């Protein structure tokens, strides 16, 4: 069945059936988008040699793909079962600015038409972008074709496909999302050596042609994303027509009398009652009041440093390995290790932090994983051979998957469930700007120093700064809460104690006796 049972006229998620096809499609979407994006770094040295470009200019390609996906592809689905944020009447201009600032392209297309249309258009754009990139004669053309066009196509595919999984599953949503999102790591594990083999056999242009054909499968995945309410549209239309035909003459008279009463109210000066269910088409600005919370501000600043550091190893690990004399196949295999261990860290850390013993310390676990990732980057310049870079790929991939799994959890603990969808949109938006500028900065450091030491040190310093900022903010807020708690307890000690039940009853009895004597 394409949809579940109905409750109050709304289709419930079926938790199975065609939903597993949707999960498989989302798995392929994550393979074709996130895994292919990670594999762009394998083309780094070929682009640099062919176009005689420096590291900074070549790094803009990977930056534009990531930034386009993050800026245009963030999705803010409503949380099922979570209470909605309080609404407030605000000026229309402010609401319009808020809506435009928080309305990415993928979300707009998915809401305006459907997730199926968005994924199919995205697959066409990304495939055309890779196809045009194979004929590029300059880096500027690659910026437009691979960076902007392919990135925009990935944005249109990625977020609507994830949203469709949530429409089909409720009870087994965690399992469905776990399978769907594992395509990023598994795809990197498989595609990294495959892309390197294609480059050796057909050059980078032929490899991009093959990737273009592979990414075109996104159109097939989009066609299989059947809307959950699509099968019931005709039935609902027929039922609505029958319902209209059953209106009796008494209902018609009642309707006419009600309309006369409303006209009389208008003539007598009484305003007609307004509809309670009316809502503005723009998001109320009060829904973004979590932006002013000190805890979220500290979290947002830490995310800026986190995004500045975490993307550099994915871009420069393969070039760094090649500069140390490691073969192309072994360098590509390091990316495969990163991808598969990323999934292990995602699953195991998510499971561990759900245990009762670690659940109160999820923020501490998040800070620990980010700090360990930073330490790995600080020690990376000391590793110059493949046997030493394999442990780096294992540790970095594990802790990268660990903190990624905890980002929604930590954000929910800070802002609360009603604001989680909007907060995640802001969080991923904050990732976009560092994704855009940090790889070129890392390439600039390689150009002026002649080594990758400064790039990995910058990555490690940014990750450690993120962990330090968040731990400092957390410590300050804990001290403030402890101080306020102690002050409250001290004030309560000086307040007069309330009367006991027996003394209260004695007072009531004596009061009644005095009233009777009077």
């Amino acid at each position: 069945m394409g949809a579940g049972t109905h409750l109050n006229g709304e289709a419930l998620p079926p938790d199975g059936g065609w939903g597993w096809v949707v999960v498989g499609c989302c798995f392929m979407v994550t393979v074709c988008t996130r895994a292919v994006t990670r594999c762009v770094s394998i083309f780094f040295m070929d682009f640099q040699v062919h176009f005689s470009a420096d590291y900074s200019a070549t790094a803009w390609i990977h930056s534009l793909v990531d930034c386009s996906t993050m800026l245009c592809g963030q999705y803010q689905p409503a949380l099922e079962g979570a209470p909605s944020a309080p609404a407030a009447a605000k000026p229309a201009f402010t609401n319009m600015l808020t809506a435009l600032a928080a309305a990415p392209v993928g979300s707009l297309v998915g809401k305006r038409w459907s997730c199926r249309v968005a994924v199919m258009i995205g697959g066409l754009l990304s495939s055309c972008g890779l196809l045009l990139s194979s004929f590029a004669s300059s880096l500027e053309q690659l910026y437009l074709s691979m960076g902007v066009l392919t990135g925009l196509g990935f944005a249109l595919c990625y977020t609507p496909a994830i949203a469709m999984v949530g429409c089909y599953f409720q009870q087994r949503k965690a399992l469905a999302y776990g399978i769907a999102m594992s395509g990023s790591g598994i795809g990197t594990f498989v595609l990294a050596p495959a892309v390197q083999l294609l480059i050796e056999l057909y050059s980078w242009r032929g490899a991009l042609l093959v990737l273009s054909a592979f990414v075109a499968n996104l159109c097939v995945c989009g066609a299989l994303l059947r809307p959950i309410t699509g099968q019931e549209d005709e039935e609902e239309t027929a039922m609505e027509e029958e319902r209209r035909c059953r209106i009796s003459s008494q209902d018609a008279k009642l309707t006419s009398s009600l309309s006369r009463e409303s006209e009389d109210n208008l003539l007598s000066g009484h305003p007609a009652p307004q509809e309670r269910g009316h809502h503005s088409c723009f998001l109320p600005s009060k829904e973004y009041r979590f932006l002013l919370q000190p805890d979220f501000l500290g979290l947002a600043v830490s995310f800026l440093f986190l995004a500045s550091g975490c993307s550099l190893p994915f871009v420069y690990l393969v070039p760094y390995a090649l500069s140390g004399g490691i073969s192309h196949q072994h360098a590509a295999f390091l990316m495969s290790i990163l991808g598969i261990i990323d999934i292990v860290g995602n699953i195991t850390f998510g499971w561990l932090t759900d245990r009762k013993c670690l659940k109160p310390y999820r923020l501490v676990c998040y800070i620990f994983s980010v700090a360990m990732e930073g330490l790995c980057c600080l020690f990376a310049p000391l590793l110059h051979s493949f046997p030493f870079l394999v442990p780096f790929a294992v540790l970095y991939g594990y802790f990268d998957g660990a903190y990624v799994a905890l980002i929604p959890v930590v954000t929910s603990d800070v802002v609360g469930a009603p604001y989680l969808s909007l907060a995640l949109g802001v969080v991923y938006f904050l990732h976009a700007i560092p994704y855009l500028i940090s790889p070129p900065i890392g390439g600039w450091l390689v150009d002026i120093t002649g080594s990758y030491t400064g790039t990995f040190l910058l990555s490690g310093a940014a990750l450690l700064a993120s962990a330090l900022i968040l731990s400092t903010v957390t410590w300050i807020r804990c001290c403030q809460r402890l101080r306020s708690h102690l002050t409250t307890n001290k004030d309560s000690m000086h307040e007069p104690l309330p009367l006991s039940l027996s003394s209260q009853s004695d007072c009531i009895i004596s009061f009644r006796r005095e009233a009777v004597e009077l």
Side-chain angles (χ1 to χ4, degrees), residues 401-473:
Y403 90 79
V404 167
L406 292 178
I407 283 180
V409 178
V410 171
T411 306
S412 177
D413 292 341
V414 171
V415 303
Y419 299 97
L420 178 58
S421 61
L422 296 176
L424 284 178
V426 175
V427 165
Y428 292 127
F429 181 84
L430 292 174
H431 280 66
I433 303 303
Y435 279 174
L436 177 66
I437 63 176
S438 59
I441 292 176
W444 175 74
L445 289 175
V446 177
D447 291 331
I448 63 174
T449 61
S451 68
Y452 292 87
T453 302
T455 301
F456 281 98
L457 291 180
L458 174 64
S459 175
L463 291 170
L464 289 176
S466 174
L468 181 61
I469 290 172
L470 191 55
S471 59
T472 304
V473 172

Side-chain angles (χ1 to χ4, degrees), residues 368-418:
F368 173 76
S369 61
V370 174
M372 289 300 297
E373 202 173 22
L375 290 176
C376 291
C377 292
L378 292 182
F379 286 100
L382 304 176
L383 312 175
H384 301 287
S385 61
F386 181 74
F388 288 104
L389 284 175
V390 168
F392 167 80
V394 171
L395 291 175
Y396 187 87
Y398 181 81
F399 288 112
D400 182 80
Y403 90 79
V404 167
L406 292 178
I407 283 180
V409 178
V410 171
T411 306
S412 177
D413 292 341
V414 171
V415 303

